[in-house]
Amino acid sequence: MKFLTYLFVLTSMAVFGQVDFDNYRFIESKGPIPSDFYDWSPEKYASELVELEKKQKEDLSKVKDQYIVSTSYEIKKIMRSGLVTYNDPLSNYCNKILDILLVNQPDLRKKIRVYILKSTEANAFSTNNGIIFVTVGLLAQVENEAQLAYVLSHELAHYTKGHHAKDYILRDKYENDKNLTYTQKLNSLFSYSKEQEFEADKYGYLNYYSTANYASSQVDQCFDMLLYSHLPFDEVEFKLDFFNIDTLKLPKEFVVEKYNEIESLENVDDSKMTHPNILKRRIYMSTFLEESGTDNGSLFKLDKEEFDLTQKIARFELSHLFNLEYEFEQAFYNSYLLLQKNPNNQFLETNIVESIYSLNFYKNRGSYNSAHEKSKNIEGYRQQVNQVFDKIQSSELNLTALRFSWRLATKYPNDDYIKQLRDSVISDVSKYYKNSINNLPTKFKNPSDTLQASAEGLTKTEKIKLKRTSQTTSTFFDYSLVGLSNLTDLYDIYDKMILERAQYANEDSLLALKNNQKKNKGLSLGIKHTLMLPPYYELYMPNGKFSEFIKAYDARSKEFVVLIDKMTNKIGLQTTKFSLEHVGENDKGLFNDFALFTQWIIQYDSQSEEGYLMSSRRYMAEIAKKYNTPYFTWVAVDYEGRYAYLKVVTLDFTTSKVMISYRKEISASAKDVLKSNLYYVFMQLYRDKKN
Amino acid sequence: MKKAILSIAILSISLISFAQAPGFMGKTWAIKYDFHIIPSLSSFPNSLENPNSSFLTMFHELNLSKDVSTNMSIYFTYGGSKGERPGHILVEIPDYQDSYDNYSEVEDYFHHTQHALGFGLRFFRSKWLAPVGVYSQVAVSFVSTRAFSDNYGAKTSTTTIKGTFGIGAQRMISESFLIDIGYSVNFNLVSPLVLLDDKTDFNSTLQRSMFLKDIFYLKIGLGFVF
């Protein structure tokens, strides 16, 4: 999709107010929800069209309908992804910088909105209707306020110059040009896109950045920051002591002997890229920077402390986001870096254990490659982290996960999620060691004590053999649990998890059996209250006028929502809808819950292995308690021509157990069929279980 | 026969009692009027010129159905029709000596009245939910037919068991009303002859006529679900 132009940025942010990092959770949106999150009405498209026509001089007549609809459709997907926040410390900081950049252009300022996108990638992009998205990854990387100001200036330029629409027109033109080959079309588009980037660099610098008197030296620094933004936010050596305890020292093969060189991609071949390489941008901008003369501009116009705070929040956020994005080693290293200055931080320590648990989970199931990245591909000090996870054997990783999770649960005994994490690890370990704790090749005592005790009555040569065995690499992990407290409880939890696993497997097969047996009668789940996201109503674009399509889409979507309400009311099924249109100013928590929930769904949807305790489940028990139900229902209908597909899924989001998964092909024009299917599936949820 | 009826009745009651069918938004009963058109397959006798009787016979049916699962409904029907059919009557020739040949075959129209009481099952295809969607049906009916000829004073009655296989589709046109369109193949399972007048073989011609004529039913129905 193409409503954006990408530029990347620098580091840091700031915020007012205090953030309690000792009890850090996640960045939360505050106040009334902006209409960008829920208003996708035909009227809004119409007004955007008028705006576009005013701004755009090129001939848009052929594609304007498609352009508005398709870009709005993509923006809508981002806005309801649960990954976008508003009026939070990060976006507020960006907004303050925009206030400075546009102090002399109040009309333009009114049109621009900044939202934070919870992504680890360092990026920013703008849309045709004045939204600028800034990622958490970018805010974790920028080194000062000026660098962030430059990125925002660049994005402002994309908006004011209407680059996105121009790009769309050109794309349409090339696509319909039968005289061009596919490669020629691509090359033309890439070439044009690069021209736009140069223009945005220049226009943003001259019209916003330099007029606000930010330090011109930071433009070049900003390019450096972007060049290395794929690396962690800091370069600090990872010490293996992090894994070591008195009885366990990682052997030599775990140590990186020679770190990979950090390559500069400054002059990378950009012929197949939308952006010019950094070297070209530097050279292009150097002319204007030289013309600016002496650099009297500022690194900070706002309070530096505010920047530091913003940056710290972004970096904290990042360590959780990496786990959400299945980048476990990145999450590990990111948390490690932050722990250096924030020791004993529960949020970070939990992230570390989540990473180890996740790596162990996937290694136990033979899909380690999907979770682990080989150290030979890593640059910088993070390579050491990946080296450890390269070398570690399954049994060793199981014991390491057990040690870290046990220690964390002992340290924070009142945290339910940490307990879940520990239990999940124990469940995995018990499975790996074939359900008997006696199979664990571990000792719970100091090796010297063990040797002392076991050496009694042995001959000299036997004692020497025993001592040598305890020193070999292959057995050093045997002592990984030495020194942990409350180990007697481990036996109980171990047995409990074995039982739970067996019960779960049993329940699963029972459910399948019931499904088969009751194929014609359906299930009786006894669920009286469920949470619900706004239903997804997808209508594929038909041929014809797009403005008509959008009206039909709007009407059908609304009708669908009404229909679901009607069915649930008729049955008596209570629903709490995370429907953004209905969130008032007094429901401040609801938007954040919606965001958490959507993150959970995205992660649930993308997980490749069943039974994984997803990091997005961290706050799910809290939500279940708040809304007094652990159930969540998702309803969607995809229309494609004559056919439509109804999908209804209900899950227990505290355990990720699927309660019902109902999928049916229905005739696209058949409202009665839709009604009867919705009624049927809600009835199965609601009606009481039979004894 | 009694055992069969009893078994069907018990089966029906148990299905109704224990099944938890969704029906249409919780409405599992439907009462429906079906209008059947039965195109004739039998040819009209040449000697009968331009008769007033219709080439098509109409059959009216009242239908009470209950959805017993997501894909099955059971139903009871009561229906009837009135009409005329072509046929042959053997008429006694007075003073004819040979006892074997003292009957003459004549052609005439018989007026007939038919009543049918039946029980059936509808099976909806898996992508649909009863009572909405495409279905196949199977039914058994007890059909009583009375017929007479004005011109010759002959009259008779038959009782048969009719089997029906059909397909159709039901769709809701509002929250409470449905329409049903379909066709069915019908055949007589039993055809006892009851002679009311020993001077005719009226019944056999009536049977032939019905057998040829009452095979294909085209149907359109309007129902109320509750």
Side-chain angles (χ1 to χ4, degrees):
Chain A
M1 163 64 212
K2 193 64 187 186
F3 47 107
L4 30 117
T5 32
Y6 298 68
L7 205 244
F8 318 105
V9 159
L10 349 139
T11 226
S12 282
M13 262 216 108
V15 172
F16 19 3
Q18 291 299 312
V19 176
D20 180 7
F21 286 99
D22 289 338
N23 295 301
Y24 187 81
R25 283 162 55 82
F26 53 90
I27 52 170
E28 292 182 277
S29 303
K30 286 176 189 159
I33 301 178
S35 64
D36 288 325
F37 284 84
Y38 58 83
D39 185 4
W40 298 297
S41 62
E43 294 74 24
K44 190 181 179 192
Y45 292 120
S47 70
E48 282 184 6
L49 206 56
V50 172
E51 273 293 307
L52 185 69
E53 278 168 346
K54 272 190 211 163
K55 199 168 73 177
Q56 209 64 44
K57 289 174 187 169
E58 284 78 1
D59 180 21
L60 258 176
S61 59
K62 285 181 188 168
V63 291
K64 63 185 177 186
D65 261 0
Q66 293 96 313
Y67 174 68
I68 291 290
V69 170
S70 58
T71 52
S72 302
Y73 190 73
E74 293 303 322
I75 294 170
K76 181 178 174 178
K77 275 191 351 196
I78 296 174
M79 299 307 282
R80 69 182 187 186
S81 66
L83 297 172
V84 181
T85 60
Y86 65 90
N87 198 19
D88 60 281
L90 307 189
S91 59
N92 287 344
Y93 185 68
C94 292
N95 270 309
K96 284 183 184 176
I97 296 175
L98 274 177
D99 289 342
I100 294 168
L101 292 171
L102 298 176
V103 67
N104 298 319
Q105 301 180 64
D107 289 343
L108 178 58
R109 179 68 190 94
K110 278 180 198 164
K111 292 178 185 172
I112 305 295
R113 292 90 73 199
V114 178
Y115 301 120
I116 299 302
L117 183 63
K118 287 188 176 182
S119 163
T120 57
E121 189 186 353
N123 200 356
F125 54 89
S126 57
T127 70
N128 62 293
N129 61 356
I131 296 175
I132 296 177
F133 291 101
V134 177
T135 66
V136 170
L138 181 68
L139 293 169
Q141 292 278 349
V142 285
E143 292 158 346
N144 52 48
E145 181 189 321
Q147 290 185 9
L148 182 56
Y150 181 65
V151 175
L152 291 171
S153 301
H154 178 98
E155 294 309 323
L156 278 172
H158 277 312
Y159 169 71
T160 48
K161 300 301 281 181
H163 283 160
H164 186 242
K166 285 178 182 169
D167 189 74
Y168 194 90
I169 295 164
L170 199 69
R171 186 179 294 265
D172 182 71
K173 187 179 150 193
Y174 286 143
E175 275 176 7
N176 294 318
D177 191 340
K178 290 174 185 168
N179 297 322
L180 292 176
T181 64
Y182 179 70
T183 314
Q184 283 172 325
K185 286 175 187 177
L186 271 186
N187 288 341
S188 306
L189 281 170
F190 287 143
S191 168
Y192 183 67
S193 176
K194 287 188 195 76
E195 282 171 29
Q196 289 185 332
E197 292 306 319
F198 285 131
E199 189 179 24
D201 275 343
K202 177 187 160 189
Y203 191 87
Y205 173 73
L206 294 176
N207 291 279
Y208 310 118
Y209 186 82
S210 64
T211 54
N213 200 27
Y214 275 109
S216 52
S217 62
Q218 287 308 304
V219 174
D220 207 51
Q221 294 295 313
C222 181
F223 288 140
D224 279 335
M225 181 277 296
L226 292 172
L227 194 59
Y228 300 112
S229 63
H230 61 288
L231 296 171
F233 66 80
D234 204 356
E235 271 297 296
V236 174
E237 190 176 359
F238 175 74
K239 300 218 166 80
L240 287 183
D241 285 351
F242 191 78
F243 282 104
N244 292 345
I245 50 176
D246 288 347
T247 53
L248 171 81
K249 308 280 184 221
L250 294 182
K252 275 190 292 184
E253 62 256 36
F254 282 72
V255 182
V256 174
E257 286 181 5
K258 190 184 173 194
Y259 285 97
N260 293 331
E261 205 175 303
I262 297 177
E263 286 185 38
S264 167
L265 301 174
E266 190 175 27
N267 197 20
V268 70
D269 175 14
D270 59 7
S271 58
K272 299 283 184 290
M273 290 162 66
T274 56
H275 284 58
N277 68 37
I278 294 291
L279 183 62
K280 285 180 187 164
R281 289 174 77 174
R282 273 192 218 283
I283 294 167
Y284 180 78
M285 286 304 293
S286 61
T287 320
F288 310 107
L289 293 170
E290 279 166 18
E291 282 172 10
S292 307
T294 319
D295 187 2
N296 297 321
S298 319
L299 285 182
F300 295 97
K301 286 186 163 293
L302 297 166
D303 196 338
K304 184 178 180 299
E305 282 180 9
E306 197 171 348
F307 172 82
D308 291 340
L309 182 60
T310 307
Q311 187 188 57
K312 190 173 176 181
I313 293 172
R315 290 174 174 181
F316 262 68
E317 200 66 27
L318 209 55
S319 75
H320 179 53
L321 284 179
F322 275 125
N323 270 334
L324 279 175
E325 294 180 3
Y326 293 79
E327 299 283 354
F328 304 119
E329 282 139 344
Q330 297 238 48
F332 185 99
Y333 186 63
N334 196 88
S335 304
Y336 172 82
L337 290 177
L338 289 167
L339 274 171
Q340 307 308 304
K341 289 182 182 169
N342 304 275
N344 296 315
N345 184 286
Q346 185 178 345
F347 179 79
L348 300 173
E349 287 176 329
T350 308
N351 287 339
I352 292 263
V353 174
E354 264 181 4
S355 312
I356 301 173
Y357 155 70
S358 306
L359 287 161
N360 186 46
F361 179 91
Y362 284 99
K363 195 173 177 74
N364 281 341
R365 282 155 186 79
S367 46
Y368 198 40
N369 288 344
S370 66
H372 163 67
E373 201 177 352
K374 290 201 182 315
S375 66
K376 67 178 182 186
N377 302 325
I378 308 296
E379 294 176 346
Y381 283 125
R382 185 163 73 83
Q383 191 184 345
Q384 179 60 79
V385 174
N386 291 55
Q387 173 87 354
V388 170
F389 290 111
D390 260 359
K391 298 293 175 189
I392 201 162
Q393 301 299 309
S394 279
S395 59
E396 297 164 352
L397 188 52
N398 270 293
L399 292 173
T400 306
L402 185 56
R403 174 156 66 94
F404 273 79
S405 63
W406 189 265
R407 210 168 53 182
L408 188 71
T410 311
K411 191 171 178 181
Y412 304 107
N414 299 323
D415 190 306
D416 289 339
Y417 175 71
I418 290 175
K419 275 185 205 159
Q420 274 188 36
L421 201 54
R422 175 201 63 191
D423 292 354
S424 299
V425 169
I426 294 176
S427 177
D428 260 10
V429 172
S430 68
K431 191 176 176 187
Y432 184 82
Y433 285 109
K434 306 199 175 357
N435 290 344
S436 171
I437 200 161
N438 296 327
N439 292 339
L440 256 72
T442 188
K443 283 89 180 167
F444 299 126
K445 288 181 182 173
N446 190 296
S448 56
D449 299 342
T450 314
L451 282 172
Q452 193 69 38
S454 54
E456 285 175 19
L458 298 180
T459 64
K460 177 188 164 190
T461 49
E462 283 170 336
K463 283 177 189 170
I464 291 169
K465 278 182 185 172
L466 181 67
K467 197 172 181 184
R468 281 181 59 79
T469 306
S470 70
Q471 289 168 341
T472 56
T473 304
S474 60
T475 58
F476 77 98
F477 266 97
D478 291 3
Y479 296 95
S480 60
L481 301 186
V482 173
L484 295 188
S485 54
N486 301 326
L487 273 175
T488 45
D489 295 344
L490 177 64
Y491 289 92
D492 295 339
I493 299 171
Y494 202 90
D495 288 341
K496 189 181 132 201
M497 294 319 297
I498 291 169
L499 280 176
E500 266 187 25
R501 224 157 23 83
Q503 196 185 351
Y504 187 76
N506 197 29
E507 271 183 16
D508 251 18
S509 58
L510 274 179
L511 189 68
L513 190 68
K514 275 184 188 172
N515 270 328
N516 286 334
Q517 284 179 340
K518 297 187 170 182
K519 203 174 172 186
N520 289 330
K521 292 184 187 174
L523 300 167
S524 302
L525 297 168
I527 295 171
K528 306 298 176 194
H529 181 198
T530 179
L531 305 183
M532 219 180 239
L533 277 181
Y536 289 94
Y537 186 90
E538 306 294 356
L539 192 63
Y540 290 84
M541 289 191 193
N543 294 324
K545 272 206 153 192
F546 283 77
S547 52
E548 285 172 12
F549 159 78
I550 210 69
K551 279 180 194 164
Y553 178 91
D554 187 58
R556 281 207 194 181
S557 302
K558 284 176 180 161
E559 205 177 324
F560 188 49
V561 174
V562 171
L563 195 57
I564 289 170
D565 283 349
K566 190 174 173 180
M567 292 301 130
T568 51
N569 288 342
K570 193 172 174 67
I571 287 167
L573 178 66
Q574 190 191 342
T575 55
T576 300
K577 294 182 185 68
F578 287 134
S579 174
L580 299 184
E581 291 88 333
H582 302 131
V583 178
E585 289 187 28
N586 297 326
D587 299 322
K588 286 171 191 166
L590 203 137
F591 180 83
N592 293 311
D593 296 341
F594 158 82
L596 283 176
F597 221 75
T598 312
Q599 284 170 30
W600 174 77
I601 291 160
I602 292 170
Q603 206 183 8
Y604 177 81
D605 212 33
S606 62
Q607 66 173 342
S608 55
E609 297 284 347
E610 273 188 38
Y612 175 58
L613 178 71
M614 303 175 301
S615 50
S616 54
R617 241 170 68 190
R618 193 183 288 195
Y619 305 106
M620 288 296 108
E622 217 173 276
I623 290 184
K625 198 173 171 188
K626 182 175 173 183
Y627 293 97
N628 207 22
T629 179
Y631 300 111
F632 150 74
T633 300
W634 181 69
V635 187
V637 63
D638 289 345
Y639 275 79
E640 193 169 8
R642 290 176 54 212
Y643 300 100
Y645 300 89
L646 172 69
K647 296 173 219 164
V648 184
V649 181
T650 297
L651 298 123
D652 179 335
F653 55 81
T654 58
T655 62
S656 298
K657 186 178 174 185
V658 179
M659 306 306 293
I660 196 168
S661 177
Y662 188 85
R663 288 161 200 273
K664 205 142 197 183
E665 181 191 328
I666 55 178
S667 166
S669 59
K671 279 186 199 164
D672 54 344
V673 180
L674 185 59
K675 278 181 190 173
S676 58
N677 277 286
L678 282 175
Y679 182 90
Y680 178 46
V681 71
F682 292 144
M683 187 183 92
Q684 291 181 69
L685 288 182
Y686 183 79
R687 69 187 173 194
D688 288 323
K689 292 176 182 174
K690 289 174 206 163
N691 294 321
Chain B
M1 181 61 72
K2 279 181 185 172
K3 279 184 184 173
I5 294 169
L6 195 64
S7 308
I8 289 168
I10 290 169
L11 178 69
S12 313
I13 291 165
S14 50
L15 285 173
I16 292 169
S17 307
F18 301 111
Q20 282 188 297
F24 180 72
M25 292 168 58
K27 299 169 188 171
T28 55
W29 289 91
I31 188 154
K32 182 160 62 84
Y33 163 73
D34 287 333
F35 174 68
H36 299 261
I37 296 169
I38 312 165
S40 174
L41 291 182
S42 60
S43 58
F44 283 76
N46 294 334
S47 58
L48 299 176
E49 290 176 5
N50 194 22
N52 290 327
S53 61
S54 170
F55 178 74
L56 301 172
T57 303
M58 287 168 280
F59 186 77
H60 306 271
E61 195 173 48
L62 205 57
N63 192 303
L64 178 68
S65 67
K66 164 77 181 168
D67 305 319
V68 292
S69 74
T70 52
N71 295 103
M72 190 168 87
S73 305
I74 59 169
Y75 65 92
F76 298 93
T77 63
Y78 172 73
S81 72
K82 265 187 169 181
E84 288 186 325
R85 291 162 191 269
H88 301 89
I89 302 173
L90 291 179
V91 180
E92 192 177 5
I93 304 166
D95 303 328
Y96 199 85
Q97 295 303 312
D98 187 335
S99 62
Y100 182 73
D101 287 332
N102 63 344
Y103 288 92
S104 165
E105 191 176 82
V106 295
E107 290 173 329
D108 193 13
Y109 278 94
F110 311 141
H111 299 283
H112 74 273
T113 310
Q114 209 172 49
H115 297 276
L117 194 61
F119 165 81
L121 298 168
R122 278 193 201 103
F123 302 97
F124 289 80
R125 295 195 183 161
S126 60
K127 71 178 265 196
W128 303 94
L129 286 174
V132 176
V134 177
Y135 63 81
S136 309
Q137 68 175 10
V138 56
V140 178
S141 310
F142 298 93
V143 184
S144 160
T145 309
R146 289 179 178 279
F148 62 96
S149 161
D150 283 343
N151 296 331
Y152 299 93
K155 57 183 177 181
T156 188
S157 73
T158 65
T159 302
T160 63
I161 294 179
K162 184 174 74 174
T164 302
F165 290 109
I167 59 166
Q170 288 187 154
R171 298 299 297 269
M172 300 301 300
I173 52 173
S174 75
E175 298 266 306
S176 300
F177 289 95
L178 60 78
I179 57 164
D180 182 4
I181 295 171
Y183 76 89
S184 57
V185 180
N186 299 264
F187 56 91
N188 294 318
L189 297 172
V190 185
S191 54
L193 293 175
V194 182
L195 286 172
L196 297 182
D197 185 335
D198 58 7
K199 288 186 289 187
T200 70
D201 71 346
F202 195 24
N203 274 309
S204 62
T205 57
L206 179 65
Q207 284 300 324
R208 272 206 308 278
S209 168
M210 281 180 64
F211 202 78
L212 284 171
K213 198 170 178 179
D214 294 2
I215 295 178
F216 297 107
Y217 283 45
L218 298 175
K219 171 180 74 175
I220 182 160
L222 179 68
F224 175 75
V225 295
F226 58 99

